[in-house]
Amino acid sequence: MPVDFSLTEEQKELQKLARRFAREQIAPIAAEYDAREEVPWGVVEKLHEVGLLNAIVPEEYGGMGLGMLEEVIIGEELAWGCMGIYTIPMASDLGITPLLLAGTHEQKERFLRKITQKPALAAFALSEPGNGSDAAALRTRAVRQGDHYVLNGTKTWISNGGEAEWVVVFATVNPEARHKGVIAIVVEKGTPGFTAHKLHGKMGQRASGTYELVFEDCRVPVENLLGQEGDGFKIAMRTLDKTRIPVAAGSVGVARRALEEAARYAKEREAFGRPIAEFQAIQFKLAEMLMGIETARAYTYYAAWLVDTAQPHAHAAAIAKAYASEMAFAAANQAIQIHGGYGYMREYPVEKLLRDVKLNQIYEGTNEIQRLIIARHILGQF
């Protein structure tokens, strides 16, 4: 059977829709909301209106039921417009994924309907002030009291944490058990004892809300538990093994924008009597950028294909995420270099591309963690 690299007609139409949305709805307001450090809720509403918000939710619960390949096609386009704004729907999908992996039909019906019937978001709360990469060392406690769990602790760096209708929270029933004591439980917005505090002063992705979540004697019904006690760590890791791929897609989108901006400027800017695009040094930079973009996109699509065909994909997701995010950071950096002093100013979009895409090397597992995953895969094969 020959390998087919073409998109279906439906996927091409989806790509056109997302590309048009990014150009018309996201790119024109990206700088404004970055400067204001505010979530553009109007864009969220429009994403919902056209079906690009929470699109991975199955049709039976009000979503579009899109696969991973469709998700990354959308992701590249939206991130071209603004990585920070793209993080809003991407982080919502991150929150949705544990429910898709481990939720019962009743839980899916109850929680997914809340974010498909209106413009609404989900969130995923794993990281804590004292641990990020060591996800098994949770300090947020969950104590069973009758038909409730009582949560106490703090989560941090939680995208959508204050806007979300509900958050999948990872806590421990027994810290000494490490990963074997972790649970995943859905906490709804407005639950007594649950508060969200917005974090300010981020370097980039300022148009998405990042929060510290505090749980003080927060009582959550046992019926909100995903899976069984002790399943939480496995649910978190299975989630991240999938959701790192959209991060890679977003990185490709940022890099593509960096290349477009750099090429356009290089043809306009003159030095020594001719456009700098005619200089081989500039041409080589542009060529390197495109080499990285095409390579990252191809591997991101491959990782998405592994997910959609139910094949092992943890190492592929790690490769895609690490490679694409580092490639995109390098591309944005080269775009600034091509712009010279102007690239350092907010008048031009390339400085924002660099600030935004840096976070792609950090969240959903730092790239150092991705290398550990890849190395373990190698050592397990030989």
Side-chain angles (χ1 to χ4, degrees), residues 16-95:
K16 289 179 183 177
L17 171 64
R19 183 168 296 182
R20 183 169 61 251
F21 189 95
R23 291 186 182 277
E24 296 177 359
Q25 304 296 335
I26 295 179
I29 56 92
E32 175 189 351
Y33 281 88
D34 174 74
R36 287 164 51 179
E37 209 169 351
E38 290 182 12
V39 172
W41 197 254
V43 171
V44 176
E45 293 173 345
K46 291 173 183 175
L47 282 168
H48 173 76
E49 183 180 322
V50 299
L52 296 179
L53 183 66
N54 304 324
I56 66 170
V57 174
E59 292 182 40
E60 63 180 305
Y61 305 114
M64 293 181 66
L66 298 185
M68 181 57 73
L69 182 54
E70 289 77 21
E71 188 176 357
V72 301
I73 289 170
I74 294 171
E76 178 184 336
E77 301 304 328
L78 299 187
W80 177 95
C82 175
M83 186 65 215
I85 293 176
Y86 166 55
T87 290
I88 300 167
M90 185 181 74
S92 193
D93 287 347
L94 172 63

Side-chain angles (χ1 to χ4, degrees), residues 145-335:
Q145 291 184 359
D147 58 357
H148 285 77
Y149 282 98
V150 179
L151 302 184
N152 282 281
T154 302
K155 298 291 182 179
T156 196
W157 317 121
I158 310 305
S159 299
N160 296 347
E163 289 92 13
E165 288 293 304
W166 45 264
V167 183
V168 176
V169 177
F170 296 86
T172 180
V173 296
N174 180 5
E176 295 180 359
R178 287 184 60 82
H179 66 277
K180 293 182 180 180
V182 178
I183 67 168
I185 193 164
V186 181
V187 181
E188 297 183 76
K189 187 175 185 177
T191 301
F194 168 35
T195 55
H197 307 280
K198 189 171 184 178
L199 301 176
H200 294 277
K202 291 189 298 180
M203 173 183 174
Q205 299 202 17
R206 292 158 54 91
S208 66
T210 304
Y211 290 82
E212 179 180 80
L213 308 183
V214 178
F215 302 92
E216 298 175 302
D217 293 330
C218 179
R219 294 175 60 82
V220 184
V222 171
E223 63 188 21
N224 290 17
L225 180 70
L226 301 179
Q228 305 297 319
E229 284 194 3
D231 287 349
F233 184 81
K234 178 175 64 177
I235 293 169
M237 295 303 102
R238 288 180 63 202
T239 295
L240 293 171
D241 285 343
K242 294 184 69 173
T243 58
R244 286 169 178 142
I245 301 172
V247 176
S251 300
V252 173
V254 172
R256 199 183 91 213
R257 177 71 177 276
L259 176 59
E260 292 177 16
E261 296 291 344
R264 185 180 300 112
Y265 183 81
K267 289 191 290 186
E268 296 173 354
R269 171 71 170 174
E270 292 191 357
F272 307 103
R274 54 182 173 149
I276 64 172
E278 295 182 11
F279 294 111
Q280 192 177 69
I282 300 299
Q283 293 175 358
F284 280 10
K285 290 181 186 296
L286 297 174
E288 288 285 345
M289 292 163 73
L290 183 60
M291 288 163 59
I293 291 166
E294 295 290 348
T295 304
R297 182 189 293 115
Y299 198 86
T300 299
Y301 279 20
Y302 169 68
W305 174 78
L306 290 176
V307 172
D308 288 339
T309 53
Q311 298 185 65
H313 55 268
H315 73 286
I319 292 170
K321 192 265 191 188
Y323 179 80
S325 62
E326 291 172 8
M327 176 280 299
F329 186 81
N333 191 39
Q334 290 288 26

